[in-house]
Amino acid sequence: GAVVSQHPSRVICKSGTSVKIECRSLDFQATTMFWYRQFPKKSLMLMATSNEGSKATYEQGVEKDKFLINHASLTLSTLTVTSAHPEDSSFYICSARTEAGELFFGEGSRLTVL
Amino acid sequence: GENVEQHPSTLSVQEGDSAVIKCTYSDSASNYFPWYKQELGKRPQLIIDIRSNVGEKKDQRIAVTLNKTAKHFSLHITETQPEDSAVYFCAASTDTGFQKLVFGTGTRLLVSP
């Protein structure tokens, strides 16, 4: 299957700082990427849809100014958690859609805010 | 919007037995139904998917069935092995343009040797 790479896999930061997570489609171009948040032993919660060259579409209840999404190219989307707080600690996963319509996920990024 | 329910939340079977996980969806416009396997701390991996124009799809020990009338679909794993132990998520998509998936709550499958 297609390869989606996510970086960093783990990040620890102090409260109040911002953290950027990258999602790259390595062997295909993805006009659309998705960002999810997953709590322990829970399902994946869609946060936003990232569209190349346009603004992201956020799901209800997700703060746009808190979770900044940029999809600058057909192979890269970034999620920036701004002014992170302990309650933002979570597992963040991105996914990218191939032209065939299949979705492949990145490895995930575990964020811990102290 | 779309709502996907998944049952059971946990499933324990003996090695060699079959396992069945069921999902129901609410939006009749949904037309794409993938299943993902997620091992602890790892990314979800697509294991099989089905589109609304077919009723069943099989790939070796894994099969998925879809009943559009009843709006439910199921994952069937035969001859289970310990390495099948993981969390399985079903999902449904109502938007073929952007593949915005709504996930079920997950089923933790444990296969005992």
Side-chain angles (χ1 to χ4, degrees), chain A residues 4 34 38 43 97 105-107, chain B residues 38 43 97-100 104:
Chain A
V4 177
F34 301 90
Q38 188 175 32
S43 188
R97 185 178 74 97
F105 285 84
E107 304 97 322
Chain B
Q38 187 179 28
R43 77 181 88 193
F98 296 106
Q99 284 287 307
K100 176 180 170 179

Side-chain angles (χ1 to χ4, degrees), chain A residues 5 9 12 15 21-22 24 26 32-34 49 59 65 70 78 84 87-89 108 110:
Chain A
S5 177
S9 58
I12 301 173
S15 185
I21 301 170
E22 294 186 346
R24 294 180 185 273
L26 297 186
T32 304
M33 293 185 177
F34 301 90
T49 302
E59 295 299 302
D65 296 331
N70 183 271
T78 61
E87 58 265 30
D88 298 324
S89 299
R110 185 164 302 283

Side-chain angles (χ1 to χ4, degrees), chain B residues 4 24 69 79 95 107 112:
Chain B
V4 179
T24 59
T69 303
E79 300 173 28
D95 186 346
T107 296
S112 302

Side-chain angles (χ1 to χ4, degrees), chain A residues 90-108:
Chain A
S90 192
F91 194 53
Y92 293 89
I93 311 179
C94 70
S95 68
R97 185 178 74 97
T98 67
E99 289 186 1
E102 296 173 321
L103 273 180
F104 292 92
F105 285 84
E107 304 97 322

